[in-house]
Amino acid sequence: MNEPIKYPVGRADFESIISEGFLYVDKSERMYEMIGSRKFVFLSRPRRFGKSLLVNTLQAYFEGKKELFEGLKISEYEKDWVQYPVITLDMSAVKDIEIDKMSSAISVQLEKYENQYSIPIDKDASNGARFYRLIQTIKSKTKRNVVILIDEYDAPLNAHLHDGNLKLVKSKLQEVYQQLKVCEKDERFVFITGISKFSQVSIFSTLNNLTDISMLDKFSDICGITHEELNDYFHDGIQNLADKFHCTYDEMIAKMEYKYDSYHFSEFSPAMFNPTSVLSAINDEKLDNYWFRTATSSYIIDHLKKHHADIPHLVPKKLYADDFSVSLEDVDSLWPVLFQAGYLTIKGYDPESEMYTLDYPNNEVRIGMMQNMMYFYYPQNFSSGKASMKDFYFALRDGNIDESMAALKDFMSQIPNILNNKEEKYFQTILYVLFTWLGFYTETEVNTATGRIDVVIKNAKNIFVLELKVDGSADDALAQINSKNYPIAYKYDGREVVKIGVNISSDGDVRTITEWKVEN
C-alpha cells in the first residue's frame, strides 16, 4: 500500500519539505535560469504565493546543499555546487513592530550573522553601518562573495501605508537597503521579494541595476502552479477530491479553475493556480476560501477607502505598462496595488495598444474582496448580519421575493450610523457588495437603450431588475422600471425577469428599506 502524499500546507522551509518527504513542485530549473542571467533580481508576487519558499530554496542552493536537490531539474545543470555565505533578512518579522522598536527588530536579524561569523557587535552603530561591515567582514573571512536574500522587503511599508509614518519607516529601511549598491563588488547574488514593485518606493533609488522580473513572461511561472503541474503533481489528490464530490476528474479540475485559477503576471503568462489554495483544498478535501483567509491585508481596505474606490465599477480596468509603477500615494495606484496584492490579475493584453486589462482572477478572490468590504460596511455585527443574509440568499434563490426583501431590510437596518449617507449610489454599492459576496452575478448602473438600471441580479432562473429610490416610494421606483421598459434589454435571455421597486429611508433612525413592490 502506497504511503499517503504529504502536502506542505503552510510550509516554506525547503530543507524540511525535501528531507521529510513532502510534495515539492519543482521550480529549480526556472530558478537556475534566473540565477545564471542576473545578479540583482526583484520579484513581486501576492502574499501566500510561494515567495518565501523560493527564497529558502535559493538559500539551500547557494549554501551548496547538493543532496537536497537530487532528482530535481537543477541537478542536471549544476556541476560545481560552490558554497557561498548567505545573509537572509525576513522583513515580514518587522511589519507589526512599533515604529520606535523597528530598528531593534532589524538589529536582531543582523546580530544573528554577526554572532555566526564572530563579528563584535556595535549597538551604537546604525543598522546600515552594521550591514555594510557584515558584508565586508564575511567576504574577508570566507574569501567568497556574499549572497543576500531579502524576503517581503515592503512588509513594514504596507503596514504603515496610511498611518502617517511611511516616511519614517522608509528611512529605517533605506539605511539598510542602500548598502546593497555600496557593496556590489562583494556580492555574488542579490534577490529581493515583495508585494509592491520596487519602482514605487524610493528606498531603492540607488540600486539602479536591480532587474524586475515580476512581469517577464520567462519567469511568470516561477511561483504558483501551472495546469501542467497541477495534473503532474496533484493527480491523485484531485481524484480523491472528485470522488468525495461525486464528480469526474475533469469536472473537479473545472471546479478548481473557477475557484483558484487564472492568475496572470505578464502579457503571455500561463494561467496560474494559487498554491496555498490548491495545497489546502487537496489536503483538506474541501473547496474553501483559503487564500483569502491567510492573505487578507487591512492596508488594501484602507487603500480602497482612502481613494474612494467605486467598488461596483472597479473592474475591468485598462492600464499601460508604466501605470504599474506609479507612486503608492497616487490615486492611480489603486489598481496596481490591487494587482500586486493578488486581488486583481491580468485578464487580457492588446499588443497593438500595449494595454493590459485587469480583473478579478477567480471566484475565491472576488468573493474575498466583497467579504472584506462587508466588514467595512458592517464592522460590528457581521456574524448576525450573515444570518440575515443566509435567509436572503435562499429566499431569493427560490423566488420568494417578499421573504428575501424582508431579510435584506433587517440586514440594512443594522448598518452602523457612522456610515450614514443619503446618496443613492452609496446604497447601490452596499447592495452590489452584498449580492456579489453571496455569489449572485450583480451589476449596478446598467446602461440600456431606454435608460440606466440601478441594480441587476442574475441567477439560474431569474433576472431581478431593481430600481432604488431614497426617501421616495416603491411605487415611483416600479413606475420608472415600467416607463423605461428596462426588461426589454433581457427579452432574448430566456430567464424570467422580476421587477422590484425599492424605497430606502436615509433617516438616521431608520436607514433601511421601508417598502418594496414586485412585478413579474
Side-chain angles (χ1 to χ4, degrees):
M1 183 176 179
N2 294 330
E3 290 188 16
I5 298 172
K6 297 165 66 175
Y7 298 102
V9 178
R11 287 176 174 261
D13 180 9
F14 174 73
E15 184 168 354
S16 69
I17 288 173
I18 298 299
S19 61
E20 296 176 28
F22 284 89
L23 181 144
Y24 176 72
V25 177
D26 187 3
K27 299 287 186 178
S28 63
E29 181 177 16
R30 193 71 70 243
M31 184 184 79
Y32 186 77
E33 188 177 3
M34 175 184 72
I35 295 167
S37 59
R38 292 158 176 82
K39 180 177 180 178
F40 293 87
V41 180
F42 172 77
L43 176 68
S44 169
R45 284 294 183 269
R47 281 201 177 99
R48 310 293 290 166
F49 226 90
K51 299 189 301 297
S52 296
L53 177 57
L54 178 58
V55 168
N56 204 260
T57 309
L58 284 165
Q59 180 175 338
Y61 166 77
F62 280 112
E63 288 177 344
K65 297 181 178 179
K66 178 181 178 180
E67 69 282 0
L68 296 178
F69 294 88
E70 290 182 7
L72 301 183
K73 276 288 186 179
I74 197 171
S75 65
E76 300 175 15
Y77 309 121
E78 183 58 75
K79 305 303 179 185
D80 298 329
W81 292 98
V82 177
Q83 184 176 355
Y84 292 94
V86 180
I87 298 174
T88 301
L89 301 180
D90 180 6
M91 303 312 291
S92 66
V94 183
K95 67 177 182 177
D96 295 323
I97 303 294
E98 296 177 14
I99 297 293
D100 59 347
K101 297 179 181 178
M102 188 173 291
S103 293
S104 296
I106 297 173
S107 171
V108 169
Q109 297 198 45
L110 298 177
E111 190 171 330
K112 167 188 172 183
Y113 294 99
E114 289 169 332
N115 289 330
Q116 180 180 336
Y117 290 94
S118 302
I119 301 172
I121 299 171
D122 183 0
K123 290 292 182 71
D124 294 327
S126 69
N127 284 331
R130 289 172 64 185
F131 191 37
Y132 172 81
R133 187 178 65 160
L134 185 62
I135 296 170
Q136 298 294 316
T137 306
I138 292 175
K139 166 68 181 294
S140 176
K141 287 192 172 189
T142 64
K143 308 304 180 185
R144 293 194 185 280
N145 283 1
V146 182
V147 172
I148 298 174
L149 310 173
I150 300 178
D151 196 15
E152 301 287 1
Y153 89 93
D154 56 345
L157 296 169
N158 291 327
H160 297 280
L161 188 58
H162 299 294
D163 64 4
N165 293 309
L166 190 59
K167 186 175 181 180
L168 180 58
V169 174
K170 280 184 180 181
S171 67
K172 291 180 181 296
L173 297 178
Q174 190 168 24
E175 70 174 66
V176 175
Y177 295 156
Q178 67 184 3
Q179 306 308 320
L180 299 174
K181 175 64 175 178
V182 176
C183 298
E184 179 177 355
K185 65 181 179 62
D186 301 306
E187 294 159 349
R188 162 64 179 87
F189 183 74
V190 175
F191 184 66
I192 301 169
T193 79
I195 295 175
S196 310
K197 287 171 69 71
F198 73 91
S199 55
Q200 292 176 307
V201 185
S202 60
I203 54 176
F204 287 126
S205 57
T206 59
L207 198 60
N208 51 17
N209 55 351
L210 185 63
T211 302
D212 185 356
I213 66 169
S214 306
M215 295 182 67
L216 297 184
D217 290 327
K218 183 185 295 187
F219 299 106
S220 59
D221 61 348
I222 198 167
C223 291
I225 298 171
T226 65
H227 277 246
E228 183 179 2
E229 290 167 339
L230 188 74
N231 284 298
D232 288 347
Y233 289 92
F234 299 93
H235 184 280
D236 291 349
I238 294 170
Q239 187 60 61
N240 290 339
L241 198 55
D243 293 342
K244 182 175 180 179
F245 277 74
H246 305 291
C247 65
T248 67
Y249 180 90
D250 289 340
E251 287 171 340
M252 179 50 63
I253 289 287
K255 290 178 185 292
M256 296 184 72
E257 286 175 347
Y258 175 69
K259 200 162 184 71
Y260 306 130
D261 190 19
S262 291
Y263 290 88
H264 298 82
F265 298 108
S266 64
E267 293 96 318
F268 305 107
S269 163
M272 304 297 296
F273 285 87
N274 184 302
T276 294
S277 298
V278 168
L279 286 168
S280 299
I282 293 177
N283 187 68
D284 297 350
E285 297 184 357
K286 183 178 181 181
L287 299 178
D288 212 338
N289 296 324
Y290 296 101
W291 180 82
F292 165 67
R293 289 179 184 170
T294 58
T296 300
S297 302
S298 59
Y299 82 91
I300 292 295
I301 301 304
D302 291 337
H303 209 64
L304 291 168
K305 288 158 60 178
K306 177 180 178 179
H307 295 305
H308 307 290
D310 183 3
I311 300 300
H313 303 102
L314 190 66
V315 292
K317 177 68 176 180
K318 293 188 181 298
L319 297 179
Y320 289 106
D322 291 345
D323 295 333
F324 288 92
S325 300
V326 297
S327 167
L328 290 173
E329 295 299 290
D330 195 316
V331 65
D332 290 331
S333 72
L334 183 60
W335 290 274
V337 166
L338 290 172
F339 167 68
Q340 290 151 21
Y343 287 87
L344 301 181
T345 196
I346 296 170
K347 283 291 189 174
Y349 176 72
D350 178 29
E352 185 176 349
S353 65
E354 297 183 337
M355 291 193 76
Y356 299 82
T357 300
L358 300 188
D359 209 330
Y360 298 116
N362 51 50
N363 195 56
E364 179 186 26
V365 175
R366 181 186 296 106
I367 300 303
M369 171 69 91
M370 295 309 121
Q371 183 156 324
N372 265 336
M373 297 309 299
M374 288 304 299
Y375 279 108
F376 166 59
Y377 285 113
Y378 204 77
Q380 297 175 348
N381 302 306
F382 189 53
S383 295
S384 62
K386 288 176 74 172
S388 296
M389 285 306 92
K390 286 180 181 178
D391 294 337
F392 171 85
Y393 174 84
F394 289 112
L396 188 64
R397 187 195 66 178
D398 297 337
N400 300 323
I401 308 302
D402 286 338
E403 185 179 334
S404 68
M405 296 304 292
L408 182 58
K409 175 181 178 179
D410 180 61
F411 173 84
M412 294 183 66
S413 68
Q414 299 178 63
I415 293 177
N417 286 334
I418 192 173
L419 299 174
N420 191 18
N421 191 311
K422 296 187 177 184
E423 294 183 5
E424 185 177 294
K425 188 173 182 178
Y426 166 79
F427 292 104
Q428 285 181 1
T429 301
I430 290 179
L431 295 180
Y432 173 85
V433 170
L434 171 63
F435 298 151
T436 304
W437 169 60
L438 289 171
F440 294 111
Y441 179 82
T442 309
E443 297 176 287
T444 65
E445 297 185 344
V446 181
N447 287 312
T448 72
T450 57
R452 190 166 59 188
I453 308 172
D454 283 341
V455 183
V456 174
I457 311 165
K458 298 178 181 179
N459 65 16
K461 299 177 181 178
N462 301 103
I463 297 175
F464 302 94
V465 175
L466 279 70
E467 182 65 27
L468 309 181
K469 296 296 179 184
V470 177
D471 300 326
S473 74
D475 285 328
D476 289 344
L478 190 58
Q480 181 171 329
I481 295 175
N482 289 324
S483 66
K484 299 283 188 178
N485 197 14
Y486 289 149
I488 199 172
Y490 306 103
K491 179 177 180 180
Y492 300 106
D493 183 276
R495 285 172 283 188
E496 182 181 14
V497 177
V498 179
K499 300 175 285 185
I500 309 175
V502 180
N503 183 63
I504 301 172
S505 172
S506 66
D507 188 301
D509 295 327
V510 182
R511 296 192 68 255
T512 187
I513 295 171
T514 57
E515 59 174 345
W516 61 88
K517 292 290 179 69
V518 181
E519 283 185 8
N520 286 18

